[in-house]
Each structure stands twice: as structure tokens, then as C-alpha cells.
Amino acid sequence: MTTLSERISQSAFDGSRLRVVLLLDLHDGAQQNFLEAYEHMRNQVASVPGHISDQLCQSIENPSQWLITSEWESAPPFLAWVNSEEHVETVRPLHNCVRDTRSLRFSVLRETGRLHTPPAADATQGGLQPFPRVGDNVVRHALTFTVKPGSEAVVADILSGYRSPQSKVDEHTRLRRTSLFMHGNRVVRAVEVEGDLMAALRHVARQPEVRAVEEAINPYLEQDRDLNDPDSARVFFTRAALPAVHHLASAGTDDEAVKRHALYYPAKPGCGMALARLLAGQDEAAASDPSTPIDSSTIFQRDDIVVRLVDVRGSGDAAPLQVIGAHGPRKAAMLSRLLDSEALGIDAPATEEDMSKLLSSADMRPITDRHAP
């Protein structure tokens, strides 16, 4: 068991307000077109549930550098918006104006100007993050997509056979680990990056061995894409994004006996965020149990797709309910109500015994797990 201060953690579910910072570098001469596109976009964003306010700023030193900041009641409504098809279409007019972007997301811990308002006192404005979390300078992100039924074996062979790209991106950024799993015809690729995630993703995309793999799987994808068309590639990877919404690990753990599992939880329509929140609470509870076999857990969620990456000491057979996230009174029933059992090809689980069986159905097939040297 580790104390709260010893845990490495990140979470979208602490109820604190969210500050989003978007740094943009515009093409020369595109400023007016960008401003007009933003004026149209901001009216749509203002109506999104959970949105509080936003600001558009232009650098006083370099007119090509712009900044958009927005404030949200909490992280979940922002994540639901930014990962939606509506968002993809809303920001499309901005693409031709922008040379480069970088998005940063922060929970609000402290602020001036509202000292009379205690944290979380105003539910409509969100609260303040109650305490600073401990990090490890690692960003976790995943991509998911589906391939044509019947092509799974070919795709798995392609995705497992390439040479790993150079792990060092620059002085501050390097690839640390890439884990790839499949469940039926769904592929999930999870990456761990020390430093700047976007710099690492751009670095990987430029590597010839990775480019060759991406081209090789193109004929088997259910969603068409053209990697030579920037707009097509951008839309594909935007739709494939599976962001991390919760991560918890013991600080300083390095155990060779730990085995990585990826568990697939298709949610009932509209229940993806609630399912991810339930699993996050289960992992928080497991971290306080000294007998837990779970060393770390990362939950990725987009729409009704939830994937949980779990590092387990030993086989996990001794505590299957903790591994699947259904340990405790009524937790099996709660998980059953949110889970789309039919999508997993099983009868609706409701009891603890059913949940033990669910573990084998949700466990994704490992394709490759690469560590940086």
C-alpha cells in the first residue's frame, strides 16, 4: 500500500475546473481568415455544456503566434466535446490557417479574485483541485481503430514485425514504451512519452519504418485514410485518439514480475464516461489495499470505448475482481449496468462469479510491448 503523496496520479474525475491552453502558429497572411473562422467557431463552443469562457489572444511580439484559452466546469465535458465528431467538423475551417498547434490542459488548484469562495462551493463553476498530484514526467496516450473482419491475423503480423524507431526525440523528449493489443478487429496502441507528446508523435510519424507499417495496414482499415493528404490523416488520427482520463501507480516501482494487460470495456450508448469514472474509483480503492496485485492502471476513454491498461504482479488469478474492476459491494452490478455485454459476445454479467469470467472476455490479445533501451 502506498500513501496518497507517494502515488503517481492523473485524473479527469476530481471535479476541479479545467483550463485549456491552445498555442497556435499561423501561416503568413492567414490572420484575418483565422479570426473569421474563430468567430464562427466560438459561437458553437459557447453552447457546449460545461463550457464557461474563452479568450483569443495574439502575440505582441510575433503576430503569427496566437493563444486560445478556455475554462470548463471540469475535464469530462471538455473531453466529451474535443473527442466528438462535432468538434472535428467545427475546427476544420481552422486547419488551412494554422502551421502548428500545441494543446495543454490544466486543473485549477488556486486562484486570486475568488478568495471568498471555498473550493467546490459553486457547483456551476466547478471546484479547485484539492491537492497537487505527483507526476513522473510521462504522458500517456492511445490510439484505437478497427480493421476489416478477417484481416486481423495479417494486421497483427504487420504491426508486430517492424523495427522500433529511435527513442530519443530531442533533449527533453523520448519514447519510453509502446504497447499494442487487439480485441477482435479493434486495435489499441498505447504509448508512454517522457516530455512533449506531440513532438514525440510527429517524430514517430516521420520515421520510415513506422511510415511503411502505416502504409501496409491502409488496405485493411475500416476507415479510409490517405497519409499523403494532411487533412485526411488529421481526421483519422483525431477520430482514433483515445486519451488517458485516469492513471494511478506506485512511485518508483520497477518489478520484472509485473505483466501488462489491456482490458476492453465497450460501454452502453452514452455510458462511456460513467464507466471510466467507475473504474477510476475502483483503482483508487485498490491502491489502498496492501494485498492488491495491481501495480498501476491507466484508463483511456473516448465516447463509449473504454480501455484499461493494467500492470499486474503475478497472474492476477488470486484477485480477478480487482483486476477487472468489480471488487466490493454492488460493484459487479454497477459495472454490468454500464457495460455492453453483447459487444463482448457474452451474456450480461451481474454477479461476482460472472465478473470473474468477464476477465477472459475483456482481456485483449497482446501484439507487441516495446521498451526504449
Side-chain angles (χ1 to χ4, degrees):
M1 180 178 69
T2 58
T3 65
L4 189 62
S5 61
E6 295 173 323
R7 297 174 190 164
I8 296 168
S9 67
Q10 68 181 82
S11 182
F13 302 125
D14 62 8
S16 59
R17 291 201 311 277
L18 182 72
R19 173 70 66 182
V20 180
V21 178
L22 183 62
L23 306 170
L24 306 107
D25 184 16
L26 302 190
H27 291 297
D28 296 338
Q31 284 80 2
Q32 186 58 39
N33 289 340
F34 175 81
L35 182 59
E36 292 172 1
Y38 172 79
E39 286 293 336
H40 174 72
M41 182 187 75
R42 76 185 184 96
N43 292 327
Q44 294 178 271
V45 177
S47 64
V48 176
H51 176 267
I52 297 175
S53 64
D54 61 79
Q55 288 184 323
L56 175 66
C57 309
Q58 185 178 21
S59 170
I60 61 175
E61 299 169 332
N62 182 350
S64 293
Q65 293 179 348
W66 292 57
L67 170 70
I68 299 175
T69 65
S70 61
E71 190 170 1
W72 297 75
E73 292 174 8
S74 62
F78 167 76
L79 292 173
W81 154 248
V82 79
N83 294 316
S84 67
E85 288 293 320
E86 182 183 1
H87 177 263
V88 171
E89 295 304 319
T90 298
V91 301
R92 192 186 295 270
L94 302 179
H95 292 161
N96 292 333
C97 303
V98 177
R99 181 185 294 114
D100 192 23
T101 63
R102 186 182 181 193
S103 179
L104 305 171
R105 295 126 188 219
F106 302 88
S107 292
V108 181
L109 276 85
R110 302 291 182 268
E111 62 182 351
T112 58
R114 297 186 189 179
L115 298 180
H116 60 285
T117 304
D122 185 352
T124 64
Q125 297 293 300
L128 300 181
Q129 183 181 314
F131 51 81
R133 292 185 287 268
V134 176
D136 55 359
N137 192 36
V138 175
V139 183
R140 295 165 176 87
H141 187 68
L143 296 172
T144 186
F145 52 86
T146 55
V147 297
K148 296 173 182 177
S151 69
E152 294 89 349
V154 175
V155 171
D157 186 59
I158 294 171
L159 292 174
S160 63
Y162 70 96
R163 183 168 57 88
S164 298
Q166 174 66 36
S167 61
K168 183 177 180 180
V169 178
D170 55 38
E171 184 180 354
H172 306 289
T173 301
R174 77 179 186 103
L175 299 169
R176 197 174 85 158
R177 188 172 184 178
T178 300
S179 305
L180 198 143
F181 297 84
M182 293 184 71
H183 190 285
N185 70 330
R186 177 167 296 281
V187 177
V188 173
R189 178 190 290 142
V191 297
E192 296 179 2
V193 173
E194 291 182 8
D196 186 343
L197 173 65
M198 293 310 299
L201 295 180
R202 285 193 291 265
H203 164 80
V204 169
R206 290 192 295 264
Q207 304 307 302
E209 56 270 30
V210 173
R211 182 72 179 222
V213 168
E214 296 291 348
E215 293 289 357
I217 66 172
N218 267 350
Y220 306 107
L221 298 176
E222 287 198 314
Q223 179 188 337
D224 292 334
R225 68 178 182 186
D226 180 0
L227 294 178
N228 295 314
D229 178 355
D231 189 58
S232 175
R234 183 186 300 110
V235 169
F236 177 87
F237 286 111
T238 299
R239 288 173 173 162
L242 193 63
V245 295
H246 191 270
H247 173 75
L248 191 64
S250 302
T253 300
D254 186 15
D255 189 344
E256 293 183 357
V258 170
K259 181 180 179 181
R260 173 156 291 188
H261 295 262
L263 303 174
Y264 175 51
Y265 303 80
K268 291 178 180 177
C271 295
M273 187 67 74
L275 178 53
R277 190 190 300 269
L278 172 64
L279 293 173
Q282 289 292 89
D283 286 336
E284 294 284 348
S288 301
D289 183 349
S291 65
T292 181
I294 298 176
D295 186 72
S296 70
S297 171
T298 307
I299 299 168
F300 303 92
Q301 182 261 331
R302 175 195 176 94
D303 299 329
D304 295 325
I305 300 170
V306 181
V307 172
R308 185 161 155 264
L309 209 63
V310 189
D311 290 338
V312 179
R313 290 187 297 274
S315 66
D317 293 341
L321 293 180
Q322 284 193 340
V323 175
I324 197 64
H327 179 70
R330 299 183 298 278
K331 294 300 188 295
M334 293 172 64
L335 184 56
S336 179
R337 285 196 296 270
L338 299 172
L339 192 66
D340 185 351
S341 303
E342 185 177 347
L344 280 174
I346 59 175
D347 295 331
T351 67
E352 291 187 356
E353 183 179 356
D354 293 333
M355 285 296 164
S356 297
K357 298 176 183 177
L358 172 64
L359 183 58
S360 61
S361 299
D363 207 5
M364 303 186 75
R365 178 162 64 102
I367 304 301
T368 182
D369 189 18
R370 300 168 182 246
H371 296 256

